[in-house]
Amino acid sequence: MRIDHLELLNYRNYETLNLSFSPEINVFIGQNAQGKTNIMESLYVLSMAKSHRSSNDKELIRWDADYAKIKADVYRKYGKLPLEITLSKKGKNAKVNHLEQRRLSEYIGQLNVVMFAPEDLNLVKGSPQVRRRFIDMEIGQISPVYLHDLLTYQKLLKQRNHLLKQNYGKKSIDDVMFDVYTDQFIEAAVKIIRKRYQFMDLLQKWAEPIHQGISRGLEQLQIRYQPISGLKPEWTSEEMASFLAQKLAEVRKRELERGLTLVGPHRDELQFFVNGYDVQTYGSQGQQRTTALSLKLAEIELIKQEVGEAPVLLLDDVLSELDDYRQSHLLNTIKGSVQTFVTTTSVEGIQHETIQSARLFEVSQGTVKE
Ligand SMILES: Nc1ncnc2c1ncn2[C@@H]1O[C@H](COP(=O)(O)OP(=O)(O)OP(=O)(O)O)[C@@H](O)[C@H]1O
């Protein structure tokens, strides 16, 4: 898939912007704080209906404006697909083919993007929450059902926590609603866990050879998805559900002491091992970067396989950070098959042949010149 044309209205520091893109590589060059990331972010919002760097949609609206609009002509295998997102202080709405979508979970997935930005190092270095967000966003892109199940799970978690808080400090809960929520919570949790296992298997399958390639055969990457300790991936849903019920019963007393649900996918962990050791703790900065890059490249392959089309790749301020070998590896992987957007403060760190074949845009104070 590819983005042919982009229109922004009152988006961050762009009052209006109209751009046509190359189906191959597009490079945005400009000093700091001119609006390069804002363009990448707008493409991300167009895909995921939310920003990768802000959870507050109001920040995306240009100061003093009431609403912001992102419009694009996307080309999929079957033809042109106009997409549109409007963000206002009251909320957001999304259109596909000029038709408003009732649910954002139905909108997500029309355009697939893979973004690689400096903060993606946090995927390896950061808290488990960052990794859970990564899993959710990536599975969500290829599975609207997962997004739906995740929303159900989060709602039930909130309701269950609410009752735990209401009964805070007690020895037990005598409330039928709590048992009902717990049963529904377990059912939703099992769906999430099963889907995460499936996704991790695919991610492992693609990331391992990619990581070997980038590390010139020296490193073996292993991804370990660790839901509730003791749970086995080969179990049936019923077996998982009864295991979860047992675990929840075991921690009930502590849950009441804390007013919180202590077992479930909201506490899952994802770990990365290189040659058998945990990269988060023992990996060098370079190994952590290679791991993050392998995961991103694996996502491209995974989306290709699951969706049947390559996603769009957004490289925000990272290409010039990669050494020559990693840069070549990345560019060879995407060559000719993945539409790519790159931002950089200078073309110096980027390979000459990439710059020569790319469409170049100069970004300065909210204006873009080709
Ligand atoms: N809601 C908004 N309304 C108007 N301007 C905004 C808004 N949000 C951010 N900006 C402006 O956008 C600019 C930052 O743009 P952006 O984050 O795209 O920088 P950049 O060109 O990627 O730079 P860097 O290389 O430092 O990341 C700043 O000048 C900031 O003041």
Side-chain angles (χ1 to χ4, degrees):
M1 55 190 82
R2 67 184 169 87
I3 304 162
D4 183 60
H5 187 85
L6 173 73
E7 249 181 87
L8 298 181
L9 182 71
N10 295 328
Y11 188 87
R12 295 250 193 211
N13 64 339
Y14 293 100
E15 196 173 345
T16 57
L17 184 71
N18 261 291
L19 294 176
S20 292
F21 300 126
S22 154
E24 291 181 14
I25 300 184
N26 299 277
V27 179
F28 295 89
I29 310 150
Q31 294 304 307
N32 294 119
Q34 300 303 306
K36 303 183 298 296
T37 299
N38 293 346
I39 294 176
M40 305 296 251
E41 184 190 41
S42 73
L43 299 177
Y44 188 91
V45 176
L46 197 66
S47 164
M48 303 294 286
K50 66 162 114 175
S51 164
H52 65 292
R53 58 174 174 170
S54 162
S55 52
N56 183 357
D57 289 339
K58 288 190 197 103
E59 278 175 26
L60 314 180
I61 304 169
R62 188 180 153 85
W63 301 320
D64 303 330
D66 293 328
Y67 70 97
K69 205 182 269 293
I70 310 167
K71 267 173 92 170
D73 285 336
V74 168
Y75 279 84
R76 299 281 309 247
K77 230 171 15 189
Y78 47 79
K80 184 169 149 180
L81 184 70
L83 298 180
E84 185 177 321
I85 297 250
T86 306
L87 307 149
S88 76
K89 293 188 174 143
K90 281 192 244 121
K92 56 191 156 194
N93 71 55
K95 286 185 186 167
V96 177
N97 244 331
H98 311 289
L99 291 174
E100 192 163 330
Q101 303 296 295
R102 226 162 27 95
R103 292 204 192 119
L104 285 176
S105 59
E106 280 161 15
Y107 172 85
I108 297 167
Q110 305 295 330
L111 167 68
N112 296 117
V113 302
V114 170
M115 159 95 89
F116 190 34
E119 54 269 30
D120 281 320
L121 214 50
N122 280 335
L123 211 84
V124 183
K125 279 202 319 194
S127 67
Q129 201 178 354
V130 180
R131 285 181 286 283
R132 282 196 292 270
R133 186 170 185 270
F134 162 76
I135 304 177
D136 290 342
M137 299 299 261
E138 300 320 327
I139 308 180
Q141 274 210 57
I142 50 179
S143 168
V145 175
Y146 180 80
L147 279 182
H148 182 264
D149 290 343
L150 194 64
L151 284 175
T152 308
Y153 177 77
Q154 283 161 348
K155 204 172 97 202
L156 288 161
L157 177 65
K158 231 170 145 179
Q159 287 167 327
R160 197 173 181 276
N161 281 345
H162 180 70
L163 284 185
L164 283 167
K165 278 198 188 82
Q166 274 190 342
N167 290 276
Y168 182 75
K170 291 188 186 161
K171 287 225 155 45
S172 61
I173 292 195
D174 187 17
D175 186 332
V176 266
M177 273 327 281
F178 184 74
D179 297 333
V180 172
Y181 287 151
T182 300
D183 285 349
Q184 291 176 350
F185 171 83
I186 291 172
E187 195 186 320
V190 169
K191 285 186 188 161
I192 303 287
I193 292 171
R194 293 195 79 87
K195 198 77 188 180
R196 285 183 180 175
Y197 266 131
Q198 235 177 37
F199 175 75
M200 287 313 148
D201 269 359
L202 288 173
L203 197 66
Q204 167 78 42
K205 183 182 121 192
W206 291 111
E208 196 188 323
I210 291 172
H211 193 96
Q212 269 207 2
I214 306 175
S215 64
R216 304 173 205 228
L218 294 175
E219 292 178 5
Q220 178 116 21
L221 175 69
Q222 199 203 340
I223 302 173
R224 189 184 297 165
Y225 167 53
Q226 185 63 72
I228 301 108
S229 143
L231 190 130
K232 302 268 186 308
E234 63 273 16
W235 283 354
T236 61
S237 298
E238 290 72 27
E239 285 169 326
M240 287 187 187
S242 69
F243 181 78
L244 219 68
Q246 182 198 326
K247 287 281 163 189
L248 281 166
E250 278 169 21
V251 296
R252 180 69 46 84
K253 195 163 153 271
R254 274 200 291 136
E255 286 192 326
L256 283 162
E257 281 162 11
R258 311 236 337 240
L260 268 181
T261 300
L262 296 177
V263 179
H266 61 293
R267 296 166 74 97
D268 278 359
E269 175 57 309
L270 181 62
Q271 284 174 296
F272 307 111
F273 293 85
V274 164
N275 295 343
Y277 58 83
D278 186 342
V279 210
Q280 183 183 20
T281 317
Y282 301 107
S284 68
Q285 179 99 346
Q287 285 172 322
Q288 291 176 342
R289 188 171 281 139
T290 306
T291 302
L293 180 61
S294 305
L295 293 171
K296 293 290 163 171
L297 294 180
E299 254 184 82
I300 296 179
E301 298 305 327
L302 203 152
I303 291 174
K304 264 191 209 166
Q305 179 190 304
E306 295 297 299
V307 178
E309 283 181 71
V312 169
L313 178 64
L314 308 175
L315 298 172
D316 189 18
D317 222 9
V318 285
L319 198 56
S320 54
E321 293 295 309
L322 299 174
D323 61 29
D324 270 358
Y325 185 78
R326 288 196 187 99
Q327 220 182 93
S328 300
H329 196 90
L330 170 75
L331 295 165
N332 286 335
T333 313
I334 58 170
K335 213 172 194 168
S337 67
V338 182
Q339 187 187 32
T340 304
F341 294 82
V342 175
T343 71
T344 183
T345 46
S346 145
V347 290
E348 264 164 37
I350 300 179
Q351 285 178 359
H352 189 62
E353 70 174 288
T354 306
I355 292 296
Q356 264 189 334
S357 62
R359 190 175 291 186
L360 303 182
F361 299 89
E362 239 175 79
V363 183
S364 171
Q365 294 182 356
T367 59
V368 180
K369 271 198 311 216
E370 214 184 310

